[in-house]
Amino acid sequence: GRKRIAHLLIDSVHGDDQERTIEQLRNVDPGLQPYLVQAVAMGRDFRHATGVIRLMMELDASKRPDALVIHDDNLVAPVLTGLLSSRVHVPEDLSVISLANFPLTVPGGLPLKRLGFDCKHMLKRCLAELDRQRKGNTEVVHLKEPAHFEDELVHKSFEVPK
């Protein structure tokens, strides 16, 4: 299995998001090294993610990640650009997983697994929840939606709950 899993995320306007994310990731991977968690600034484009990935892939083989989780699908294209210009081979040297909003996809030139949510299904659930609240039911409801890998996802029509 993969031992050095890197994470690339978008840093929001809140300065503590990256530290909180590292803490949460360490709960799952106690050996996680902080240099394997990188954040790029939220902005109009994310081209600087290309440089972050190029630098990460230049690490000595004993420190270079052997898996990469892209925490936002807006980062996929610049990350793939960085990987294509590196000496790392995907998927032999590096497995790549990207979070995604299905059925939307980002075209890429490298094999990667997409993990995400069926955005059409989520939208239907949210609209049903809004209708429920408009009808006077103000009970707070937390909607949970399981994540799926792309090859697991089966698109079914969604019955609006009564």
Side-chain angles (χ1 to χ4, degrees):
R2 303 299 186 170
K3 304 270 188 243
R4 294 174 309 280
I5 302 171
H7 300 267
L8 184 64
L9 49 123
I10 295 176
D11 197 12
S12 73
V13 293
H14 308 293
D16 62 346
D17 284 356
Q18 188 173 2
E19 290 305 315
R20 189 176 1 181
T21 300
I22 290 172
E23 185 179 315
Q24 291 170 343
L25 292 170
R26 278 203 174 131
N27 289 334
V28 177
D29 180 5
L32 178 69
Q33 298 298 314
Y35 71 88
L36 291 176
V37 180
Q38 296 295 318
V40 295
M42 185 178 289
R44 247 186 29 234
D45 72 52
F46 299 103
R47 286 181 286 177
H48 41 290
T50 300
V52 169
I53 292 301
R54 285 179 180 150
L55 286 170
M56 197 179 280
M57 295 305 122
E58 286 299 318
L59 292 169
D60 179 76
S62 65
K63 293 186 177 187
R64 183 175 57 233
D66 54 12
L68 172 64
V69 178
I70 305 168
H71 286 247
D72 191 299
D73 54 358
N74 290 301
L75 299 173
V76 171
V79 165
L80 293 180
T81 299
L83 289 174
L84 286 167
S85 65
S86 76
R87 57 191 166 112
V88 175
H89 296 92
V90 178
E92 297 83 7
D93 301 329
L94 181 76
S95 296
V96 181
I97 296 175
S98 171
L99 298 186
N101 294 307
F102 299 116
L104 310 172
T105 60
V106 177
L110 294 171
L112 65 107
K113 283 196 137 286
R114 291 188 240 290
L115 174 67
F117 306 96
D118 182 338
C119 59
K120 289 179 181 178
H121 183 257
M122 288 178 66
L123 181 60
K124 286 180 182 179
R125 290 186 68 195
C126 290
L127 291 173
E129 177 59 20
L130 287 172
D131 282 344
R132 185 186 68 79
Q133 290 177 16
R134 280 191 197 113
K135 292 176 182 173
N137 189 337
T138 58
E139 175 189 355
V140 176
V141 175
H142 296 278
L143 300 175
K144 293 185 179 182
E145 185 71 27
H148 299 278
F149 281 103
E150 187 171 24
D151 55 353
E152 298 172 332
L153 193 62
V154 176
H155 294 280
K156 296 181 179 178
S157 63
F158 179 73
E159 300 272 335
V160 177
K162 306 236 188 267

